[in-house]
Amino acid sequence: MGKTFWGDCDRIFFIGIGGISMSGLALYLKSRGFSVRGSDICENDRVAALRAAGIEVCPFHKRENLGDAQIVVQSSAIRADNPELLAAQERGIKIVGRADLLELISLDHQNVIAVAGCHGKTTATAMCAHVLENCAGGVTAHIGGIDADFGNMKLGGRRFFVTEACEYMGNFLKLTPGVALVLNSDADHLDYYGEESNLFRAYCDFCEKSQAAIVCAEDKISAYIRPNMTFGLTQKSDVCAEEIVGQGGKYAFTLRTGGEMLDRIRLNVYGRHNIYNALAAAAVGIYYRFPPYLIAEGLEKFRGIRRRFENIGRYGGARFIADYAHHPREIAAALQTAHEICRGRLLVVFQPHTYSRTKLFFDDFVNVLSGVEDLVIYKTYSAREYFDAEGCALTLAEHLGNALYIETVKELALYWKGTVSGGDVVLVLGAGDIYYAAKQALSRLNGQEPV
């Protein structure tokens, strides 16, 4: 790729470079010889990693940050009035969307595996990366989370490229993968698609653009797609898990394909739902005809993703776990796993993610959370949206008779200080800033910061 990616253009500026996806793409371009800079209003570990890699990150969005940039990359989260975006438009600098850049990067590789679905994309992407790395080596992987070993961007060769394929705003339709891996489907992002049938149609288009499609045989999306291979827990699946055994929230199973029982796989991550993610990654390995024992080794090497049932600390003898779950189906899976490992009480903190999603799934949130005895609803993470009383966290808490509403780190710390005890598990759920709020509250409780 090198200097021929955009002709003679090699000076790239990322608006919002600190995001997980954007920072990974920036690291990739840096590794390919481009001059990469960017800006972000947040200071986080990804920004620190970018600076350590020699990438300048400006702490604010200002017109003058562009410097001599020839290409500007923006994510869909960047608003139209962003000063750097406006400056780029006025100067006639080429502007590329995050999804467009991902497409260009994918074209730089021989085999592209794009992982789509409403739940589990990040984990399944990382599992695929571990499988292919163990089987072939030199894999490049763009991961939508922080893998314990690979981070969010594993830089390798050009034979295999594994990436998440996000359905938001139809972004995944810009990819033309060798393998389209579809994990599942749900009525999500309907603010863009309008109806669930339009979302299904997008998944079909995504698969039709690929050379091969691998889908979950048990998910409703399988009725709309003619796959080359299926995975699941039923014997009608091409790749199946049998002899499933769970202990302490972790699972082992025997891989079966083509009617033949193959290797035993022992997962080192929590949750029965991860059997599906592991089968999806195994199906990719089998599609490329790698030996089953190497596939099993790769899956067993996977140690997890940050914010996917991650242990974030202890206080008062209680164990604190953070999970990215922000959809009712994901919350149900996280609660099931937490109950499997909890010896005392289970306390739950949930932060709704955007007002529109809360409104869309309001009854589902009420149903899945109503059985939680010790429940906190934390203030809404609004992301790109403006306040909407019908979809706010306080409204959700008011419809849950068992819930306490909290909106500051100090309140959260004081609540835990007076509530948790030895043997309890505190489960922190949400895709917004609740992860950082919970860690800050824990720091205060453990004397690292004043309560």
Side-chain angles (χ1 to χ4, degrees):
M1 184 170 80
K3 306 296 184 181
T4 64
F5 200 32
W6 284 298
D8 295 328
C9 299
D10 65 353
R11 297 188 295 278
I12 319 296
F13 187 91
F14 283 74
I15 307 176
I17 198 171
I20 288 181
S21 179
M22 292 279 275
S23 63
L25 298 177
L27 287 169
Y28 181 85
L29 292 185
K30 173 72 174 178
S31 74
R32 293 292 188 254
F34 287 88
S35 172
V36 180
R37 298 172 56 250
S39 65
D40 207 292
I41 58 174
C42 297
E43 290 289 331
N44 55 39
D45 53 354
R46 295 183 299 278
V47 169
L50 290 168
R51 289 182 174 136
I55 296 175
E56 179 187 356
V57 181
C58 304
F60 303 102
H61 295 305
K62 297 188 294 186
R63 300 172 65 91
E64 54 267 32
N65 288 343
L66 292 185
D68 61 353
Q70 298 169 300
I71 303 287
V72 166
V73 180
Q74 68 162 120
S75 74
S76 53
I78 299 300
R79 295 184 175 178
D81 61 352
N82 179 281
E84 292 159 343
L85 183 60
L86 292 174
Q89 292 169 343
E90 292 169 8
R91 290 168 53 182
I93 297 174
K94 183 178 180 65
I95 300 170
V96 178
R98 184 204 64 85
D100 297 300
L101 175 58
L102 182 59
E103 176 199 17
L104 290 171
I105 289 174
S106 73
L107 295 175
D108 196 40
H109 296 81
Q110 297 173 33
N111 299 285
V112 177
I113 300 91
V115 184
C118 293
H119 317 291
K121 285 191 296 291
T122 298
T123 298
T125 299
M127 284 183 170
C128 281
H130 280 271
V131 166
L132 294 174
E133 178 66 17
N134 196 66
C135 292
V139 172
T140 296
H142 178 237
I143 303 168
I146 309 300
D147 179 272
D149 297 296
F150 295 160
N152 62 327
M153 188 77 214
K154 182 193 178 302
L155 299 171
R158 299 184 186 179
R159 182 183 174 190
F160 287 105
F161 178 60
V162 186
T163 184
E164 291 189 30
C166 181
E167 73 275 13
Y168 179 62
M169 296 183 70
N171 285 332
F172 64 166
L173 296 179
K174 294 182 178 179
L175 293 168
T176 307
V179 172
L181 178 59
V182 180
L183 305 173
N184 46 55
S185 59
D186 239 324
D188 206 356
H189 299 305
L190 297 189
D191 53 334
Y192 173 76
Y193 287 102
E195 297 181 0
E196 193 172 16
S197 59
N198 294 330
L199 176 62
F200 287 158
R201 180 67 255 169
Y203 275 116
C204 292
D205 292 343
F206 170 65
C207 289
E208 288 171 2
K209 292 180 64 180
S210 69
Q211 296 174 24
I214 300 174
V215 306
C216 179
E218 298 155 42
D219 192 87
K220 54 189 174 182
I221 195 66
S222 64
Y224 296 81
I225 297 170
R226 287 181 289 182
N228 299 78
M229 186 180 293
T230 61
F231 64 91
L233 299 186
T234 62
Q235 291 192 358
K236 68 177 183 180
S237 306
D238 297 317
V239 178
C240 178
E242 295 190 358
E243 300 174 346
I244 298 171
V245 176
Q247 185 174 7
K250 295 183 179 181
Y251 287 83
F253 60 90
T254 300
L255 187 66
R256 182 187 62 77
T257 182
E260 182 181 0
M261 300 290 279
L262 303 176
D263 288 62
R264 190 77 178 159
I265 295 174
R266 295 169 179 82
L267 299 179
N268 289 306
V269 288
Y270 290 101
R272 184 181 176 88
H273 60 281
N274 276 317
I275 297 175
Y276 284 97
N277 293 326
L279 287 172
V284 171
I286 290 169
Y287 173 80
Y288 284 108
R289 300 184 178 180
F290 289 120
Y293 80 93
L294 291 178
I295 294 171
E297 286 179 0
L299 287 170
E300 291 174 6
K301 288 179 179 179
F302 174 64
R303 298 187 296 124
I305 299 286
R306 186 180 300 175
R307 294 186 74 169
R308 270 62 171 187
F309 224 78
E310 176 192 357
N311 286 295
I312 59 172
R314 288 183 175 271
Y315 170 74
R319 179 181 176 187
F320 288 72
I321 296 171
D323 195 88
Y324 200 71
H326 57 290
H327 184 283
R329 184 168 160 183
E330 297 166 349
I331 293 170
L335 290 174
Q336 178 185 347
T337 303
H339 280 298
E340 291 181 27
I341 67 170
C342 185
R343 296 180 179 177
R345 293 177 304 156
L346 175 63
L347 296 87
V348 177
V349 178
F350 170 60
Q351 181 186 46
H353 192 271
T354 73
Y355 303 108
S356 61
R357 177 181 270 109
T358 307
K359 284 175 64 176
L360 178 64
F361 298 115
F362 197 91
D363 291 340
D364 295 319
F365 282 126
V366 171
N367 289 335
V368 76
L369 293 169
S370 59
V372 179
E373 293 184 7
D374 297 281
L375 175 65
V376 167
I377 302 296
Y378 198 79
K379 66 178 179 180
T380 302
Y381 184 75
S382 59
R384 55 195 173 272
E385 296 182 350
Y386 295 103
F387 178 78
D388 185 339
E390 291 184 49
C392 75
L394 178 58
T395 301
L396 178 60
E398 289 172 346
H399 282 75
L400 287 160
N402 55 325
L404 173 68
Y405 175 73
I406 286 179
E407 58 180 28
T408 68
V409 171
K410 182 177 181 179
E411 288 178 282
L412 189 59
L414 289 173
Y415 168 74
W416 283 339
K417 184 177 182 180
T419 307
V420 301
S421 58
D424 292 347
V425 169
V426 180
L427 183 61
V428 180
L429 302 173
D433 57 7
I434 185 61
Y435 176 78
Y436 305 100
K439 295 186 79 170
Q440 188 176 351
L442 272 174
S443 293
R444 294 185 179 192
L445 289 173
N446 289 313
Q448 297 169 12
E449 297 180 31
V451 176

